[in-house]
Amino acid sequence: MSVDVVLPCLDEAEALPWVLDRVPDRWRAIVVDNGSTDGSAALARRLGATVVHEPRRGFGAACHAGLLASDAEFVCYCDCDASLDPGLLTGMVDSVGDGSADLVLGRRRPTGRGAWPLHARAGNAALSRLVRRRTGLRLHDLGPMRVARRDALLSLDLTDRRSGYPLQMVVRAADAGWRVREVDVPYRPRTGRSKVTGTWRGTWQAVRDMRRVLDEPAPRAEATAPVAVEPRGDGTTPVMVKAEPVVDEAAPIVGERA
């Protein structure tokens, strides 16, 4: 099993040692430098990571550059700001590897004061409702920690290079009938200031980018609905939910009913 962890990076020198130390053994860390001025790229290289330079600014641009640089069977995504522990990706990779899911998303659960500002939660909740309406997936979070097979990700033909990239991945995966699993992951206060959710303005710019993705037309051909896999009430054992046919955007919600 070969695994690459894509870590989009913009001025994360303070967090990099903590993050890279937690990448599982024998997995490759791909740090995609998106124009850092604090020496992040050089530090990542000294710490053993593969460094890719992406001059086009944008979260999606960095994520996709990492995907293209990968040659592993499985690709993981994780923020590079020490808010998420890459060691948690092992179970998520296992779920994709054993065939129980095609895309696994980490549902962030804040563990400290200030880990997830109110305005960021509000934006995420609004997007989750829009995703449910557009795809039928009753997801709770569109967070940055996720896992899928590399070849499958490339088949989605992702085109967004800004904040809409993670959402476009979910929407196109749903349209393609992927089985989607959502699992809880601890969310720590990040190191340094967020470039997106650190301000109301940054948050709502991201929401605007994502709304543009949601406005993309859905495929007209009949397809199999994605399977939403949600945690039980105690947040532990995931539960597979039977899919229903999807023929248009008004299809019934998969999983819980609204």
Side-chain angles (χ1 to χ4, degrees):
M1 180 184 292
S2 57
V3 183
D4 285 339
V5 183
V6 175
L7 299 161
C9 177
L10 177 58
D11 293 332
E12 303 290 5
E14 187 178 353
L16 272 169
W18 187 94
V19 173
L20 293 176
D21 186 56
R22 283 160 177 77
V23 173
D25 292 341
R26 295 182 296 279
W27 289 16
R28 181 171 65 150
I30 301 178
V31 173
V32 184
D33 186 68
N34 202 206
S36 299
T37 59
D38 67 347
S40 289
L43 175 59
R45 192 175 291 108
R46 287 199 301 272
L47 293 173
T50 296
V51 176
V52 174
H53 292 278
E54 174 50 72
R56 293 174 298 172
R57 283 294 183 92
F59 182 75
C63 286
H64 204 69
L67 174 62
L68 295 178
S70 171
D71 58 6
E73 182 179 3
F74 300 92
V75 171
C76 309
Y77 294 90
C78 185
D79 273 355
C80 203
D81 58 11
S83 62
L84 294 163
D85 184 347
L88 300 172
L89 289 163
T90 54
M92 298 168 69
V93 170
D94 289 342
S95 294
V96 178
D98 66 20
S100 61
D102 301 305
L103 175 64
V104 182
L105 309 173
R107 179 186 182 184
R108 291 168 289 183
R109 294 293 199 175
T111 61
R113 185 178 180 85
W116 204 357
L118 177 60
H119 57 269
R121 294 195 200 195
N124 188 74
L127 284 168
S128 295
R129 288 193 294 270
L130 293 172
V131 169
R132 185 191 325 160
R133 188 178 308 148
R134 165 64 173 78
T135 68
L137 287 175
R138 191 179 180 89
L139 299 175
H140 302 85
D141 189 14
L142 297 170
M145 181 174 271
R146 50 191 60 201
V147 177
R149 293 182 184 273
R150 177 181 182 272
D151 289 347
L153 287 169
L154 289 172
S155 74
L156 296 179
D157 191 25
L158 301 175
T159 56
D160 191 280
R161 296 296 181 263
R162 290 164 54 95
S163 299
Y165 187 89
L167 175 61
Q168 189 178 59
M169 184 186 298
V170 171
V171 170
R172 293 195 177 180
D175 288 345
W178 287 23
R179 294 159 300 169
V180 180
R181 180 189 294 268
E182 186 178 63
V183 297
D184 291 348
V185 293
Y187 191 49
R188 299 158 33 93
R190 63 158 289 143
T191 299
R193 182 176 175 81
S194 171
K195 288 78 177 176
V196 177
T197 58
T199 65
W200 279 97
R201 180 180 179 183
T203 297
W204 290 110
Q205 283 179 340
V207 169
R208 187 172 62 238
D209 287 347
M210 294 181 181
R211 184 58 190 261
R212 186 169 56 249
V213 170
L214 289 170
D215 288 339
E216 293 179 359
R220 302 311 303 171
E222 183 172 348
T224 301
V227 178
V229 187
E230 301 186 0
R232 293 187 188 277
D234 59 5
T236 55
T237 307
V239 181
M240 294 295 292
V241 182
K242 184 178 179 181
E244 300 178 36
V246 171
V247 294
D248 58 38
E249 296 181 21
I253 294 169
V254 180
E256 297 180 52
R257 300 280 178 178

